[in-house]
Amino acid sequence: MSRRNRQAFDTLSRDLVLRATDRMETLRSMVERADSNRRETWERTLDRLRGLNNRAIARIEAAHMADDDAWPFARAQADQAMMDLMRALDDFDGHLRLIAA
């Protein structure tokens, strides 16, 4: 059972990282096309998102390397990091789309 849980986690986390990377690329292009005074602030937000992405990837890797006893805690940390990243992406995406409309 533990092996199946780990494999499911690996698959899900890989998909989430790919989706987050694609979304960040889309947001980056939106910021580059924006003709606004806020562009510098938005670029800093993108830098923060890249940091959250790196944190999520590091937590996922830590969970992947964790032994069976530590895995539930490492997975919880990775899940939280992924949720933080997705929430931040949703917030920034919504903000940019409101301004672009």
Side-chain angles (χ1 to χ4, degrees):
M1 182 69 169
S2 177
R3 182 137 179 95
R4 268 196 311 221
N5 286 341
R6 282 179 176 250
Q7 288 175 342
F9 171 77
D10 287 344
T11 301
L12 175 64
S13 58
R14 182 177 50 244
D15 291 345
L16 284 173
V17 167
L18 288 173
R19 193 167 12 150
T21 302
D22 289 343
R23 287 184 69 193
M24 284 193 306
E25 183 62 28
T26 300
L27 292 170
R28 185 193 57 77
S29 2
M30 288 173 69
V31 167
E32 285 180 351
R33 287 186 302 232
D35 194 24
S36 174
N37 298 337
R38 298 182 190 163
R39 186 172 176 181
E40 188 175 319
T41 303
W42 292 344
E43 288 175 353
R44 281 195 300 266
T45 302
L46 286 171
D47 287 341
R48 187 176 140 269
L49 290 172
R50 279 189 283 278
L52 287 172
N53 189 49
N54 291 340
R55 179 176 168 252
I57 291 170
R59 299 286 186 185
I60 290 166
E61 184 62 26
H64 181 74
M65 295 184 328
D67 63 19
D68 288 341
D69 292 335
W71 188 75
F73 181 69
R75 179 185 175 167
Q77 286 185 322
D79 287 342
Q80 184 63 50
M82 288 186 291
M83 285 190 300
D84 292 346
L85 172 60
M86 296 312 249
R87 189 175 304 117
L89 283 168
D90 290 342
D91 291 347
F92 188 53
D93 189 17
H95 182 73
L96 279 180
R97 291 186 192 280
L98 281 176
I99 291 174

